[in-house]
């Protein structure tokens, strides 16, 4: 045995409501349900969110499978568009509440710690059409109301809550780079949304504390940290990487943990004349309502060089004004997803949290490798032999372990995802799970990596 993890380490996996449940019995639509309705051809093979992995109907069998492969924790999200009947009053839909109650109870019955996220990109479409979604401060209040309902209904059993999953992706996808509906390019709105989501998260945390739910549970946020590595040690490259880091990482990380936006970010946006509209009272809410623990999603690093190509600013300000992405020659790629594989980044993240963020308790809330056409790796017994995934996970865990040895306060590792699930635009193109899903039959079969994690979880290491 060479690599042993701390006692009670979380060996788990993560999914989200909209990517696994299917829209059975859902009373409202979220932005993705709506987008699929109006533009199904945008989704890989035209597979939409209606059935996904059928978790709404098969949660019992699915959780049993998770138990079978040794998982001791599981993150999913509540769909605002399933739980809440009336967004203004946060009146609860009985069927929605019963479903999430069942899921939570089933986890506990199987000794699996449920970790529940309140928002995983799935804004109810009604709140977008009425108010412009996260552009609106009113929506931040509605979010807090919805959050309170979740705490009231489930906090007796849910001990770990997270407000948002990857909030910067909402900013990037909806307002800058056009990969989430409504695919706008609007830097000013992007900046306001970035601020408003920070505020919404802090308001939910405030309500959590005021309702004394912190006596029984903890609350955090899940951020996709993409360490920015400069092309070279030149001053210009380093500055460009720092600026990218300000936008894509620190704009949520600093507020979540320190309760403040980085001064440099505020100055830069003020100089550009596009700083968000906020009040002193809101700054207080953000300041006083920081997280108890952090979830870190890590898939790929960000390689940055000083600006070389002019950015198209005809549509207004874009963060890309200050840096270019750098295609580092020879970097190791996952060709299916087009993402760089760089496991050492997990160590860098661990040390950054330790040195610069008060060594707050944190865990890897997502990491994983999406691979296309995995059936070609099936052996004669029908098991997918995904050795590439095992190697990928091991390498990441080795670097994580080094960070823990050096004192970083990491308490778990969740793979994306337990059972192959649906994804934004890519639908079922890339498979990530420990467990394979046959889309035709909904049959679920443990992959070789699922057998591996069972052993690893049992030994608390490898
Ligand atoms: C994370 C998200 O960014 O990455 C998940 O939290 C997503 O929702 C996962 O599915 C994998 O990315 P993708 O785009 O390949 O599905």
């Amino acid at each position: 045995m060479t690599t042993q993890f701390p006692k009670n380490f979380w060996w788990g996996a993560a999914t989200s409501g909209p990517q696994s449940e299917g829209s059975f019995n859902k009373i409202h639509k979220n932005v993705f349900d709506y987008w699929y309705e109006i533009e199904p051809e945008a989704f890989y093979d035209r597979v939409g969110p209606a059935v996904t992995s059928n978790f709404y109907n098969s949660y019992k069998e699915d959780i049993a499978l998770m138990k079978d492969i040794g998982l001791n924790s599981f993150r999913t999200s509540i769909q605002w568009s399933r739980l809440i009947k009336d967004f203004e009053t946060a009146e609860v839909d009985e069927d929605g509440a019963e479903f999430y109650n069942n899921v939570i109870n089933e986890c506990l019955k199987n000794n699996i710690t449920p970790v529940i996220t309140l928002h995983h990109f799935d804004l109810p479409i009604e709140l977008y059409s009425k108010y412009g979604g996260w552009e609106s401060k009113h929506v931040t209040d509605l979010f807090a109301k919805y959050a309170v309902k979740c705490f009231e209904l489930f906090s007796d059993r849910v001990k770990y809550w997270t407000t948002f999953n990857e909030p910067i992706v909402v900013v990037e996808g909806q307002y800058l780079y056009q990969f989430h509906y409504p695919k706008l390019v609007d830097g000013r709105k992007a900046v306001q949304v970035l601020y408003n989501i920070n505020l919404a998260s802090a308001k939910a945390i405030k309500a959590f504390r005021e309702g004394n739910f912190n006596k029984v549970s903890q609350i955090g946020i899940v951020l996709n940290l993409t360490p920015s590595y400069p092309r070279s040690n030149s001053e210009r490259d380093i500055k460009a990487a720092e600026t990218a880091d300000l936008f894509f990482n620190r704009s949520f990380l600093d507020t979540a943990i320190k309760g403040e936006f980085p001064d440099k970010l505020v100055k830069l946006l003020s100089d550009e004349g596009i700083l968000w509209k906020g009040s002193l009272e809101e700054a207080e809410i953000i300041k006083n309502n920081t997280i108890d623990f952090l979830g870190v999603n890590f898939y790929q690093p960000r390689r940055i060089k000083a600006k070389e190509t002019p950015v198209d600013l005809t549509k207004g300000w874009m963060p890309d004004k200050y840096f270019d992405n750098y295609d580092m020659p020879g970097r190791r790629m996952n060709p299916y997803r087009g993402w760089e594989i760089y496991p050492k980044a997990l160590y860098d993240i661990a040390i950054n949290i330790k040195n610069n963020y008060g060594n707050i308790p944190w865990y890897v809330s997502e990491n994983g490798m999406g691979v296309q056409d995995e059936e070609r790796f099936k052996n004669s017994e029908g098991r997918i032999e995904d050795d590439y995934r095992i190697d990928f996970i091991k390498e990441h865990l080795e670097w994580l372990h080094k960070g823990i040895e050096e004192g970083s306060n990491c308490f778990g590792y969740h793979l994306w995802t337990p059972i192959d699930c649906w994804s934004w635009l890519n639908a079922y193109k890339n498979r990530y799970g420990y467990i394979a899903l046959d889309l035709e039959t909904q049959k679920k079969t443990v992959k070789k990596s699922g057998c591996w994690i069972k052993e690893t979880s049992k030994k608390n290491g490898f």
Side-chain angles (χ1 to χ4, degrees), residues 19 120 165-166 297 299 337 339 366 416 423-424 432:
Q19 294 178 270
H120 199 120
N165 178 78
E166 301 193 349
N297 291 358
Y299 289 89
R337 190 60 182 84
W339 285 346
E366 284 181 32
W416 183 266
S423 163
W424 332 101
Y432 284 87

Side-chain angles (χ1 to χ4, degrees), residues 236-275:
R236 289 183 65 238
D237 282 344
I238 290 175
K239 183 146 190 289
E242 279 175 5
T243 310
D245 191 41
L246 278 179
F247 283 116
F248 298 116
N249 297 317
R250 295 187 55 198
S251 59
F252 281 99
L253 185 60
D254 282 33
T255 40
I257 299 177
K258 299 179 178 172
E260 280 173 0
F261 289 97
D263 288 342
K264 280 186 183 166
L265 178 65
V266 174
K267 177 163 183 336
L268 190 151
L269 296 173
S270 305
D271 290 349
E272 291 285 357
I274 56 153
L275 189 65

Side-chain angles (χ1 to χ4, degrees), residues 65 378 381-384 419 434-438 443-448:
L65 274 173
K378 258 189 194 162
E381 284 138 38
R383 188 177 306 295
I384 290 172
I419 299 167
Y434 282 132
I435 297 164
L437 171 80
D438 183 324
K443 185 165 181 262
K444 290 153 184 165
T445 314
V446 176
K447 300 180 194 174
K448 188 170 173 187

Side-chain angles (χ1 to χ4, degrees), residues 89-221:
T89 61
E91 188 193 339
V92 167
D93 178 76
E94 289 309 318
D95 184 80
E98 192 191 330
F99 170 66
Y100 292 116
N101 264 322
N102 289 343
V103 168
I104 292 162
N105 292 343
E106 201 62 27
C107 284
L108 296 175
K109 215 163 89 189
N110 285 284
N111 287 327
I112 291 177
T113 301
V115 184
I116 302 291
T117 296
L118 300 175
H119 192 272
H120 199 120
F121 311 156
D122 56 333
L123 181 79
I125 188 66
E126 185 181 317
L127 296 182
Y128 183 72
S129 14
K130 268 197 189 159
Y131 303 115
W134 296 115
E135 296 161 36
S136 148
K137 297 265 172 88
H138 179 58
V139 172
T140 67
D141 288 326
L142 298 186
F143 179 73
K145 275 192 191 171
Y146 149 64
V148 169
K149 275 295 166 213
C150 295
F151 305 149
E152 283 171 0
L153 288 167
F154 311 120
S155 269
D156 57 333
R157 286 150 295 144
V158 172
K159 301 300 160 203
Y160 298 90
W161 292 98
T162 62
T163 54
F164 283 82
N165 178 78
E166 301 193 349
I168 192 70
V169 169
V170 176
V171 178
E172 294 173 314
Q174 295 194 0
Y175 293 94
L176 294 172
Y177 307 121
Q178 300 181 287
F179 58 89
H180 284 189
Y181 180 84
K183 299 189 279 179
L184 305 179
V185 182
D186 190 327
R188 187 176 291 276
K189 281 187 178 171
V191 168
Q192 190 63 50
V193 164
L194 182 147
Y195 174 83
N196 287 356
I197 300 184
N198 270 297
L199 180 62
S201 177
K203 282 182 179 172
I205 296 175
K206 182 167 182 273
F208 184 78
R209 304 239 156 91
E210 284 174 356
N212 283 325
F213 300 105
N214 58 334
K215 303 277 186 301
V216 289
S217 307
Q218 298 185 35
I219 193 156
I221 193 167

Side-chain angles (χ1 to χ4, degrees), residues 12-14 75 166 222 225 296-300 339-343 345-346 349 363-370 389-398 400 412-418 432-434:
R75 180 171 71 101
E166 301 193 349
V222 169
L225 298 184
V296 174
N297 291 358
F298 172 69
Y299 289 89
Q300 55 169 344
W339 285 346
E340 181 181 344
I341 299 177
Y342 187 62
L346 261 192
I349 289 171
Y363 82 111
V364 177
S365 39
E366 284 181 32
N367 176 232
M369 187 182 183
R389 181 166 290 109
I390 298 172
D391 294 342
F392 176 100
I393 299 170
K394 262 172 106 172
E395 273 189 79
H396 282 83
L397 281 172
E398 273 159 5
L400 178 66
Y413 176 89
H414 278 192
L415 186 79
W416 183 266
T417 185
Y432 284 87
Y434 282 132

